[in-house]
Amino acid sequence: MRNGVANLVSEVSGSPQYHLDKIRQLKARQHNKFEPKGDPSLQNSLEMARSLLKYNFGSNANNTKNSKEILVIFGALFTSDPGDIHKTIGNLVKDDIKVKVIGLSAQVAICQELVNRTNREEKNTSSKNYGVIMNESHFKELLMDCVTPLPLTEQEKEFEESNHGVPVIKMGFPTKIQPTGNSSIGNTDFTIEFPQLNASFPTAGSDDSSDVVQINHNMGATTTGVAVGYQCPQCKSKVCNLPTICPVCGLMLILSTHLARSYHHLVPLRPYKEVPISSTYESQFCFGCQLQFPKGVRTTSKSKGKLESMTSSRYRCMKCSKDFCINCDVFVHEVLHNCPGCENSK
Amino acid sequence: MEAISERVFTEPTSSSEAISDEPSLLTIILDISPLGWYKLRDLMTLEEMTKNLLVFLNAHLALNNSNQVAFIASSPKGSRFLYPNPAKSYQEVKVSDGATSARDFVNKGMYRQFRIVDKAVLEELNEFLNEINKDQDDTMLADPASKLSGALSMALTYTNRMLTLDQSITTTTASAIASTTSSSASAASSTATGAGGASSGSSSTSMKSRILVVSANDDNDVKYIPIMNTIFAAQKMKLSIDIIKLGDEENSSYLQQPSDATNGIYLHLTDPRGIIQVLSTAYFIEPSLRPFIILPTNSNVNYRASCFITGKAVDVGYVCSVCLCIMSIIPDSKKCPTCNSQFDERIIHQLTKEPEVVKKKRKIDSK
């Protein structure tokens, strides 16, 4: 919010990278239209957020499965609104949108009311949904508190219980399409599809010119090869963003990467076990990163206290009995969720 | 004239300082599944492909002194690092001049790094192929599925080591790392002489990296979840996965998805004979430079998911709302195969009902 107007930085999207990029762009571009200025309008921003949430999640049959949330990070101590903000709050309550506020300076009464009413709490009670930061780490703490999904309300619980069993959702996995111009090299030997040619601007390497390129690139985005879409597998209609509901046939469209993000929770990787210390080991190198393990040593009084005698530095997957180093162990379990050994031997 | 030449000289220096001064790691994964290459036998042999890839690797090494390469071969029997192979010593220096005629890694007419990579990859590849041939009895037939996910996992662990561990170099790991790239006898000398690769590790600049997959595998029978996991890991590490797809099938959805999700390039080559040209034009560009360059990419990316029950790729499927398991058919038991939760009868009925012909309308029409 800025100058009494709500500005949209990043549209509703399921991809975290998209939002990050937008925010980074915002940060990188000084002297832009997002420069802080004027009075904030809580009502305008709430209305904007409400309409965005409403139209992007739709009032379809599966409406009950969605939870809609707005997180307001509010630095000002007042709001200058064009209309009655209480009406907006009423609408938010009606649309079942929960609002959380993180205040940057001090508690504001209207925020308190907003939070209490949308979260269905008693009037003027301090709630965990409205916090005012004390310092930077506290801000981080409050922000991370907002990450946890909302609990089911009583109403939703009743609905859930009245259902016998969990619903199955029919989903489509669309194909990404891009307008292309074909160009064949040579004869028909091989054809490479190029995206439509973007006008390329010579960069002299200086900061000024790279800025120019950036802007041109963004302006061209709507018309040139950057424009990508997805095609519904059922009715072949095209949509711009995923996940969404196909406007023609009502099929829920989603990228398989959206679903697969959580699959490692379904099939968790078993932890590796440390190989006991011995004088000789079967493996010489980490199976993942080819790091050389320290050689086995005989436990004599001399070598005590050395690294080699304290640990074998080998962590073995119990399934494929391949050995890994500690760093690969951490990486495999926290980032990759794949055991390289099992993947190669199964 | 002067103006033109000056421009040529000033441009690359200023941009390279800003962008491409960091060393870069290139990992090539070559899928050597026999079936795919058998189909291609008239167009290109594995040997020619390897030669072309070696030229590409050498070009990458030549670009920056501290650039690094890795080469992984992936077969249905498993994956293996061809280069760097820590068990082999690439420092076959003048210890025994006459004896090392068979596998000397030093050649008078060739840049050392090139020679090492070429020799090591070819030797290891031959060894690997021989091994596959030797015990090609029942293991192959039992499980002909591609081990691409395994190879990608290995590439990612290796990249992870190169990216993160070499930055915070400690004395113990330093010797270990140096000895893997050049396993000379004493740790002290190895850090000093450590060829190219090891010396770059000590610099605090983060490395850029990318993975290039060359696959002639046509079947879609790859493991879905592991591939997806590698995609997310690659996204987190901000490395691109480039794909070269050979063979008949044009839209291998499991190969397209990694490259699209990680901002890589996917190209399907029907005729691989001119591959070195494709390699050096399309695939040679650093990921950091890619936004500024018009790249050949495929237009359509098939984001199909894999069914958990049948393992086939699906366009439209049913998804369990508890565990997000994807099904192409609703199982007879009406239970989720993964999380075992009972599905809602009413919704199943709604989804499976046949389209009804409404008779009322006709009456109105006839009237």
Side-chain angles (χ1 to χ4, degrees):
Chain A
M1 27 185 141
R2 163 187 179 271
N3 214 0
V5 181
N7 290 304
L8 183 63
V9 175
S10 144
E11 277 133 65
V12 178
S13 160
S15 135
Q17 196 57 46
Y18 175 79
H19 295 303
L20 283 180
D21 288 346
K22 288 281 179 184
I23 293 171
R24 208 163 282 146
Q25 246 177 38
L26 179 67
K27 201 175 151 195
R29 243 189 266 163
Q30 299 287 315
H31 310 294
N32 55 15
K33 60 173 180 157
F34 296 121
E35 200 183 1
K37 195 181 170 191
D39 300 338
S41 164
L42 198 56
Q43 191 194 12
N44 277 341
S45 1
L46 286 175
E47 281 292 347
M48 186 179 206
R50 187 174 75 92
S51 59
L52 280 173
L53 285 175
K54 204 173 166 185
Y55 290 110
N56 280 288
F57 286 119
S59 49
N60 277 304
N62 57 353
N63 202 15
T64 45
K65 287 176 208 97
N66 301 328
S67 65
K68 301 178 204 121
E69 273 179 279
I70 298 172
L71 172 66
V72 183
I73 297 169
F74 199 60
L77 292 173
F78 66 99
T79 160
S80 112
D81 295 325
D84 184 7
I85 193 165
H86 298 277
K87 245 183 217 165
T88 306
I89 296 174
N91 285 337
L92 287 172
V93 174
K94 212 166 66 195
D95 287 337
D96 228 350
I97 298 173
K98 313 268 190 300
V99 183
K100 288 178 177 178
V101 181
I102 296 177
L104 299 182
S105 42
Q107 221 169 38
V108 181
I110 190 68
C111 290
Q112 183 70 57
E113 192 191 332
L114 173 70
V115 169
N116 285 345
R117 281 191 61 193
T118 53
N119 290 295
R120 287 160 209 249
E121 293 159 335
E122 300 249 328
K123 236 181 177 183
N124 287 329
T125 51
S126 62
S127 88
K128 63 178 169 43
N129 296 317
Y130 184 29
V132 177
I133 64 163
M134 292 180 286
N135 48 40
E136 203 180 326
S137 60
H138 187 221
F139 174 65
K140 211 170 181 180
E141 204 177 294
L142 287 175
L143 199 60
M144 289 330 265
D145 281 346
C146 300
V147 173
T148 19
L150 292 173
L152 286 179
T153 57
E154 289 295 315
Q155 253 185 330
E156 284 161 331
K157 217 179 263 171
E158 272 168 35
F159 176 80
E160 202 84 346
E161 276 161 10
S162 67
N163 263 347
H164 303 289
V166 293
V168 200
I169 306 158
K170 195 176 180 184
M171 284 186 183
F173 302 98
T175 308
K176 187 177 179 184
I177 46 171
Q178 215 169 38
T180 51
N182 287 6
S183 87
S184 52
I185 296 172
N187 266 341
T188 48
D189 262 2
F190 54 92
T191 308
I192 300 172
E193 287 188 335
F194 287 97
Q196 269 181 358
L197 291 189
N198 242 326
S200 61
F201 298 93
T203 47
S206 68
D207 286 344
D208 295 9
S209 60
S210 70
D211 276 351
V212 169
V213 170
Q214 180 100 33
I215 290 158
N216 281 329
H217 182 76
N218 284 336
M219 276 162 61
T222 47
T223 52
T224 54
V226 192
V228 289
Y230 299 90
Q231 193 172 41
C232 169
Q234 192 164 274
C235 64
K236 308 286 175 215
S237 61
K238 291 164 191 129
V239 292
C240 287
N241 266 318
L242 290 180
T244 183
I245 290 162
C246 176
V248 176
C249 61
L251 184 69
M252 191 176 249
L253 300 177
I254 196 163
L255 281 185
S256 50
T257 42
H258 291 141
L259 287 183
R261 207 167 276 278
S262 62
Y263 281 158
H264 62 258
H265 296 297
L266 288 184
V267 200
L269 198 59
R270 255 180 280 175
Y272 294 163
K273 276 192 185 144
E274 192 175 354
V275 177
I277 304 159
S278 77
S279 55
T280 49
Y281 298 108
E282 289 164 44
S283 56
Q284 242 188 313
F285 306 101
C286 166
F287 188 77
C289 69
Q290 311 293 308
L291 188 81
Q292 192 170 28
F293 289 134
K295 282 197 188 80
V297 282
R298 229 160 264 155
T299 40
T300 54
S301 55
K302 238 187 202 175
S303 63
K304 237 174 213 172
K306 266 191 179 176
L307 187 72
E308 283 87 353
S309 61
M310 311 244 287
T311 166
S312 66
S313 313
R314 290 158 172 81
Y315 299 86
R316 178 166 292 177
C317 171
M318 288 294 123
K319 214 168 161 191
C320 61
S321 50
K322 295 273 195 316
D323 290 355
F324 295 90
C325 65
I326 178 75
N327 291 308
C328 281
D329 186 2
V330 171
F331 175 71
V332 160
H333 282 95
E334 287 185 357
V335 181
L336 190 57
H337 307 291
N338 267 350
C339 171
C342 298
E343 288 309 318
N344 279 318
S345 59
K346 238 189 288 182
Chain B
M1 190 65 194
E2 263 180 13
I4 295 167
S5 64
E6 202 176 54
R7 198 171 163 73
V8 168
F9 278 112
T10 48
E11 271 185 33
T13 46
S14 51
S15 67
S16 68
E17 265 172 12
I19 300 161
S20 65
D21 217 22
E22 299 158 5
S24 138
L25 169 71
L26 173 68
T27 311
I28 290 190
I29 297 172
L30 180 60
D31 191 334
I32 56 169
S33 354
L35 188 63
W37 286 102
Y38 177 74
K39 281 183 190 156
L40 282 177
R41 66 197 179 281
D42 295 333
L43 293 170
M44 182 174 237
T45 60
L46 192 57
E47 190 193 353
E48 285 168 48
M49 186 70 215
T50 319
K51 276 182 193 163
N52 281 322
L53 286 176
L54 284 176
V55 174
F56 182 56
L57 283 181
N58 286 345
H60 179 76
L61 284 174
L63 204 62
N64 188 333
N65 194 26
S66 44
N67 273 2
Q68 284 186 55
V69 293
F71 201 113
I72 300 171
S74 155
S75 83
K77 269 206 75 216
S79 309
R80 176 154 151 182
F81 268 95
L82 301 185
Y83 178 86
N85 187 338
K88 289 250 167 79
S89 154
Y90 301 124
Q91 294 276 304
E92 213 89 346
V93 228
K94 286 121 194 162
V95 189
S96 50
D97 263 339
T100 58
S101 57
R103 36 185 304 265
D104 56 335
F105 287 110
V106 183
N107 185 304
K108 263 185 192 169
M110 209 165 168
Y111 179 48
R112 172 102 148 263
Q113 214 38 26
F114 293 176
R115 178 79 183 165
I116 290 172
V117 173
D118 290 10
K119 192 95 181 155
V121 167
L122 287 177
E123 254 178 37
E124 287 287 319
L125 187 61
N126 275 333
E127 230 171 80
F128 192 34
L129 287 174
N130 283 339
E131 259 175 51
I132 293 173
N133 277 339
K134 229 179 260 170
D135 42 25
Q136 194 189 23
D137 34 347
D138 42 11
T139 47
M140 289 277 285
L141 296 169
D143 185 18
S146 161
K147 294 288 185 295
L148 183 67
S149 55
L152 276 173
S153 310
M154 281 172 94
L156 285 171
T157 47
Y158 183 73
T159 312
N160 179 49
R161 177 184 134 199
M162 285 302 169
L163 281 178
T164 57
L165 306 183
D166 288 9
Q167 284 176 28
S168 57
I169 218 153
T170 58
T171 45
T172 48
T173 53
S175 63
I177 287 160
S179 57
T180 48
T181 44
S182 57
S183 58
S184 58
S186 67
S189 74
S190 76
T191 38
T193 59
S199 61
S200 74
S202 53
S203 66
S204 61
T205 51
S206 67
M207 229 171 155
K208 288 174 301 182
S209 61
R210 66 195 142 125
I211 295 172
L212 171 67
V213 181
V214 180
S215 171
N217 205 346
D218 271 343
D219 55 327
N220 263 334
D221 194 24
V222 285
K223 276 170 269 162
Y224 175 66
I225 298 178
I227 290 271
M228 284 298 173
N229 285 339
T230 54
I231 294 177
F232 299 130
Q235 274 180 334
K236 266 182 215 163
M237 293 164 76
K238 292 207 169 73
L239 61 85
S240 324
I241 300 175
D242 299 334
I243 312 272
I244 297 181
K245 176 78 181 63
L246 308 169
D248 304 326
E249 196 183 325
E250 200 161 330
N251 291 323
S252 167
S253 97
Y254 298 110
L255 288 177
Q256 279 176 345
Q257 289 183 31
S259 67
D260 189 63
T262 57
N263 215 1
I265 306 166
Y266 175 96
L267 274 187
H268 174 254
L269 301 180
T270 40
D271 190 341
R273 274 174 294 193
I275 191 158
I276 187 62
Q277 196 176 357
V278 177
L279 281 173
S280 53
T281 50
Y283 290 93
F284 201 61
I285 297 143
E286 296 272 349
S288 57
L289 293 173
R290 283 182 186 168
F292 308 108
I293 288 164
I294 304 151
L295 285 166
T297 51
N298 65 321
S299 49
N300 297 348
V301 180
N302 205 331
Y303 262 102
R304 280 187 298 181
S306 148
C307 168
F308 276 40
I309 305 168
T310 57
K312 282 183 188 136
V314 285
D315 266 346
V316 181
Y318 303 101
V319 177
C320 167
S321 61
V322 174
C323 63
L324 299 180
C325 136
I326 302 164
M327 294 158 284
S328 56
I329 40 163
I330 293 175
D332 296 330
S333 59
K334 304 211 163 127
K335 272 184 181 173
C336 172
T338 314
C339 66
N340 213 20
S341 44
Q342 187 78 37
F343 291 140
D344 193 341
E345 295 272 348
R346 270 183 303 150
I347 290 176
I348 287 180
H349 179 71
Q350 265 178 27
L351 288 174
T352 50
K353 72 177 173 194
E354 301 281 311
E356 287 170 38
V357 182
V358 186
K359 282 184 177 169
K360 244 185 182 175
K361 234 179 191 174
R362 230 179 240 171
K363 273 180 190 170
I364 296 163
D365 285 344
S366 62
K367 273 177 190 177

